[in-house]
Amino acid sequence: MGAGALGRRLRRYALNALVLAPFVLIVSYFLFYPILKVVELAFQDHQGHFTTANMVAITKNPYRLAFSTSLKISLYATVIPGVLGFVLAYILSGIKNPIVSRLVLAGKGVLANFGGVNLVFIFVAAYGSTGYLTQWMGDLGWNPWNHGFNLFTFSGIVLIYSYFQVPLMVLIMTPALAALRPQWREAAHILGANAFTYWRRIGLPVLAPALIGALTLLFGSAFSAYATAEALTSGSIPIVPIFIGNFLDGNVVAGQENVGYALGVGMMLILVVLAIVYAWAYRRSSRWLRS
Amino acid sequence: MVTVLNQNTTTVARSTTWYGSALRGVVLALAFVFFVAPLYAGSKFSLQNNAGAFSFSSLGDLTKAQGFSASFLLSTELTIVTMIGVLFLVVPTVIFIHLRVPSLTRALEVVSLMPIVFPPIIIVLGFMHEAPGALLVWPYHLAPMYLVLTLPFVVRSIESGLSALDVRTLVDAARSLGSSFFVILRRVLLPNLSSALIASSALVIAFVYSEYTMAQFQQRPTLPVWIAQFAMSSGHISTAAAMVSLLGAWVLLSVVLLIDLARTTLRTKRSESA
């Protein structure tokens, strides 16, 4: 009888393994394997001998500058869209018309996933030095290009990233905002709190984990974006993904053949830290969302 | 009727002072301008001929442009192959894990978040070094990569669709009536998951039509890669193509969500009159 139960169990395991096998194979080959390969190659020279020289190289210029530029762009493209997106999510959560909210949802979904090449062309037509919006703002007496703005450098990247970061923030914060119960606000109001006190003592503390989680996601999305920056600046802005792209295109310095992989590892280290913060924040925030 | 539908919506306890609503209106107006103004500029630019006059010529030129139809076809084929993978591999796997091997739910969640943590540029970095030539020759080898990259939204939406259902009861009821796993899948679960399926399909389609990084490094002239290359010869046509793909994605997703709304409203009405 014990043997029969064991046999049944084994058969069930075998069946489960069989059903899951295709999925596991594809994910292993197209996701895990490339990642592990990057790590392995980062610690090898081009003849396959173990070395830490690549990892040392990325702490020096120009790679050090690439990492600091990447982090700076990501910081700006997180904080500004984060604040705007939060305010917008709050206001939009007040809209109850189901058709309007479905259309807004579709818009958010598209815009949040709409990075890359297409966006760049639209922005050049709008905010390029002879773009329509630039001209109109110039007609109104304030041409942004005369005030330090340049679409093809830092400020332009932050502007164009905001176009998908703000909807991303709205998308992430909307369910969290739904967890704010109106009763809390009423209770606070009855106890004499004004709107400011309510947000400082109740709203923001409850939302804090969700906010931290959303901001890490925004930071990660800005940090790992490649296509937009590449198409916008034709590879001239010194950020880490662009360096990796140059490396993939075969522009390598002799003796540094595998530095591209080390850059990948450097990016992964930062992204893993972000993921850990996100996981912590997600667990904390789901405490309020669940009930 | 309407109040019954809105049972769960929170009664508004927000400040309804005049400056509160004025502020809200101003922010909404600014956001509207921020998002719509570039689109307006983009369409104005793409609806111009080289002399600067209004014309639809660039849309016509777009369809005739060298390489456009081939790249559009390639993107479409990739979308179809990816969708087949999503519907016949990912979705059944997620459901199977949810029903039969719930101990793996957490692992699945971690796997599905990995493409967010490890971006395309890194995956392509490792893949390019190692991929066997035979695979790279297969014209649709990008499809399994897209399958992996779209896991975050596909798995998440199917999982949340499943947890919104009382799967246990549904499955037990179907089993007691003698259904096999595939009958349960086809006649009980998939119809109940249709909203989640449609929404994630729309996102997959929008994703495949706009993915650039992987296609470019693997030298596949998909639509976005073509747009970027063609920009060298005509900005008007490239901008037109960019506008068409953005608006196309928006319309697609709006239609999907509105159909979903119509269906749920219909269902609620039917169950009310019953």
Side-chain angles (χ1 to χ4, degrees), chain B residues 4-48:
Chain B
V4 176
L5 280 180
N6 288 343
Q7 237 169 11
N8 292 327
T9 51
T10 51
T11 38
V12 182
R14 289 176 184 171
S15 57
T16 41
T17 50
W18 66 269
Y19 56 85
S21 19
L23 197 66
R24 218 171 289 158
V26 168
V27 173
L28 276 181
L30 285 178
F32 185 78
V33 170
F34 177 72
F35 286 112
V36 174
L39 298 181
Y40 175 73
S43 15
K44 193 167 151 63
F45 184 73
S46 50
L47 294 180
Q48 265 183 359

Side-chain angles (χ1 to χ4, degrees), chain B residues 47-61:
Chain B
L47 294 180
Q48 265 183 359
N49 56 20
N50 288 330
F54 177 85
S55 114
F56 282 103
S57 65
S58 59
L59 286 179
D61 293 346

Side-chain angles (χ1 to χ4, degrees), chain B residues 56-234:
Chain B
F56 282 103
S57 65
S58 59
L59 286 179
D61 293 346
L62 173 64
T63 52
K64 277 178 270 162
Q66 170 92 45
F68 170 79
S69 39
S71 70
F72 186 78
L73 191 69
L74 178 63
S75 281
T76 309
E77 288 166 351
L78 276 173
T79 307
I80 293 170
V81 179
T82 311
M83 279 310 303
I84 291 175
V86 167
L87 293 178
F88 291 94
L89 181 67
V90 179
V91 171
T93 305
V94 174
I95 295 177
F96 185 81
I97 287 179
H98 191 95
L99 282 182
R100 291 287 182 84
V101 213
S103 52
L104 288 181
T105 314
R106 182 91 191 117
L108 180 68
E109 195 182 307
V110 171
V111 168
S112 73
L113 286 175
M114 283 185 68
I116 296 183
V117 181
F118 304 105
I121 183 89
I122 289 192
I123 297 174
V124 87
L125 182 66
F127 186 77
M128 291 280 281
H129 183 270
E130 207 47 36
L135 187 68
L136 292 177
V137 170
W138 188 49
Y140 306 128
H141 78 270
L142 278 171
M145 313 197 81
Y146 290 167
L147 192 76
V148 166
L149 289 183
T150 53
L151 282 180
F153 36 87
V154 173
V155 171
R156 197 107 47 97
S157 76
I158 301 296
E159 267 290 338
S160 64
L162 281 172
S163 44
L165 294 177
D166 190 355
V167 179
R168 229 15 52 239
T169 314
L170 285 176
V171 171
D172 286 348
R175 278 235 184 87
S176 73
L177 293 170
S179 309
S180 69
F181 181 78
F182 289 101
V183 175
I184 296 175
L185 196 65
R186 195 165 55 81
R187 308 221 6 211
V188 179
L189 292 178
L190 290 184
N192 274 306
L193 286 174
S194 53
S195 320
L197 284 173
I198 293 169
S200 49
S201 312
L203 282 174
V204 170
I205 295 169
F207 175 88
V208 178
Y209 272 104
S210 64
E211 203 283 332
Y212 172 77
T213 308
M214 288 203 157
Q216 186 238 336
F217 282 119
Q218 312 210 2
Q219 280 151 20
R220 298 285 161 196
T222 59
L223 192 56
V225 174
W226 178 83
I227 291 177
Q229 283 167 357
F230 202 75
M232 312 294 170
S233 48
S234 167

Side-chain angles (χ1 to χ4, degrees), chain A residues 86-110:
Chain A
F86 178 71
V87 173
L88 204 57
Y90 177 71
I91 294 175
L92 287 175
S93 69
I95 294 178
K96 295 289 182 246
N97 182 326
I99 294 178
V100 173
S101 61
R102 288 293 204 289
L103 287 176
V104 170
L105 183 65
K108 284 187 298 198
V110 171

Side-chain angles (χ1 to χ4, degrees), chain A residues 46 78 107 127 141 160 185 200 253 262-263 266 270 274 280 284:
Chain A
H46 68 293
T78 300
Y127 294 105
I160 203 166
R185 186 166 200 139
R200 193 169 63 87
V253 185
L263 287 172
I270 293 172
L274 288 175
W280 170 85
R284 283 295 303 265

Side-chain angles (χ1 to χ4, degrees), chain A residues 216-217 269-281, chain B residues 113 116-117:
Chain A
T216 49
L217 218 59
L269 286 177
I270 293 172
L271 289 163
V272 165
V273 170
L274 288 175
I276 292 170
V277 173
Y278 174 78
W280 170 85
Chain B
L113 286 175
I116 296 183
V117 181

